[in-house]
Amino acid sequence: MLFKKSPEKFWNLIASKYAASPVPDRPSYETKIQKLKNYLTPDKVVLDIGCGTGTQCRDIAGNVKQVTGIDISHKLLAIAEQRKAQQIEAGRQLDNVEFLQTSLFDERFAPYSFDVVMAFYVLHFFEDIEAVFQRIHDLLKPNGLFISETVCLGDKSKLSGKLLRIAGHLGFLPKMNLLTTRQLEQVLDKTGFNIVDKTRFSHSSDSEFTLIAKKL
Ligand SMILES: C[S@@+](CC[C@H](N)C(=O)[O-])C[C@H]1O[C@@H](n2cnc3c(N)ncnc32)[C@H](O)[C@@H]1O
């Protein structure tokens, strides 16, 4: 069974190692964050799903009103808090960043409460992607933005995608879906989003598209 029923155990187990690994392609990451900032203004309230160590939350904090990072792993969130505290000590203003161990479906999140919802490298861990997009749609204010970058296992070689999926079914890894970029776009369309930007920031072979979609 291992991680099948409790993916948070997997993320807690690898938290230190995950946190120690550097951003794979720093220049592309910086370009992406700069571009995202074009969509942000100081009045925006942002939710980051699967925030991990909170990198993106801290990196956009100066451009928005409030950022809430949520994750299932208390160990990754503890590292996120630690890094936030270190940066505050170094003089950065991060009082508008909070981290919560909770789910996207937490009832404390009211409909129409966010201007922007971000999801970086987490959507492939959800089985029912349509329910997830519907929930994000509900949480966004009118014209709100959904920013997503997702491993689309369905786009990768059939074998590697299937092996990861089997490992997830057996419980050696958290369960993953075999979504393709095309399917992702179709579900966005079906759940009431209009894609306003689609960019591949890194040119490495396994890089993913960053999609920016507006709630219709
Ligand atoms: C690959 S990491 C990405 C972390 C971060 N978004 C980033 O880009 O650095 C995936 C993250 O999603 C979190 N996660 C996995 N399933 C989740 C779920 N159902 N709800 C919230 N977070 C989840 C994991 O704990 C982990 O922090």
Side-chain angles (χ1 to χ4, degrees):
M1 197 59 60
L2 293 172
F3 307 117
K4 196 169 180 176
K5 293 246 155 80
S6 48
E8 67 277 10
K9 280 193 187 156
F10 170 83
W11 291 104
N12 286 334
L13 193 70
I14 68 154
S16 309
K17 206 169 169 205
Y18 184 82
S21 54
V23 173
D25 180 348
R26 178 56 71 175
S28 301
Y29 174 79
E30 299 293 350
T31 309
K32 176 175 68 188
I33 292 294
Q34 281 313 317
K35 175 151 187 178
L36 297 188
K37 284 180 179 175
N38 293 333
Y39 289 90
L40 304 174
T41 47
D43 57 331
K44 300 288 186 221
V45 178
V46 181
L47 178 70
D48 184 15
I49 308 163
C51 64
T53 59
T55 307
Q56 289 91 349
C57 296
R58 289 186 301 275
D59 286 348
I60 62 155
N63 299 71
V64 298
K65 182 177 177 188
Q66 170 75 29
V67 193
T68 301
I70 60 170
D71 205 283
I72 53 171
S73 163
H74 71 269
K75 289 220 167 152
L76 283 166
L77 289 172
I79 296 168
E81 290 287 6
Q82 201 179 29
R83 291 185 175 172
K84 175 182 155 184
Q86 283 164 352
Q87 293 186 5
I88 288 175
E89 221 172 275
R92 277 195 67 191
Q93 174 57 259
L94 291 173
D95 292 344
N96 60 342
V97 179
E98 66 171 354
F99 297 112
L100 300 175
Q101 185 187 4
T102 191
S103 126
L104 172 65
F105 295 91
D106 187 327
E107 287 178 1
R108 287 174 295 174
F109 300 137
Y112 309 110
S113 46
F114 295 98
D115 299 286
V116 179
V117 174
M118 315 192 294
F120 292 103
Y121 292 96
V122 65
L123 294 177
H124 55 297
F125 294 115
F126 287 94
E127 280 290 298
D128 188 347
I129 205 73
E130 194 173 322
V132 167
F133 285 6
Q134 192 58 64
R135 173 65 172 157
I136 293 169
H137 194 275
D138 290 347
L139 291 180
L140 282 169
K141 296 176 190 172
N143 291 320
L145 290 180
F146 174 33
I147 301 174
S148 123
E149 192 168 275
T150 303
V151 176
C152 286
L153 290 174
D155 290 342
K156 303 204 180 298
S157 91
K158 284 209 163 39
L159 186 63
S160 62
K162 276 196 179 137
L163 285 177
L164 285 170
R165 177 128 173 111
I166 289 168
H169 267 298
L170 293 175
F172 297 122
L173 291 173
K175 275 176 107 175
M176 283 174 256
N177 65 50
L178 278 181
L179 209 61
T180 63
T181 306
R182 181 85 195 106
Q183 284 167 337
L184 197 71
E185 290 174 8
Q186 281 171 343
V187 182
L188 277 172
D189 185 51
K190 188 173 174 192
T191 49
F193 288 97
N194 179 33
I195 296 173
V196 293
D197 193 273
K198 177 181 175 183
T199 307
R200 204 194 280 274
F201 286 96
S202 171
H203 297 293
S204 76
S205 60
D206 58 351
S207 67
E208 314 294 338
F209 285 103
T210 302
L211 298 175
I212 302 180
K214 188 181 262 195
K215 172 175 173 166
L216 293 173

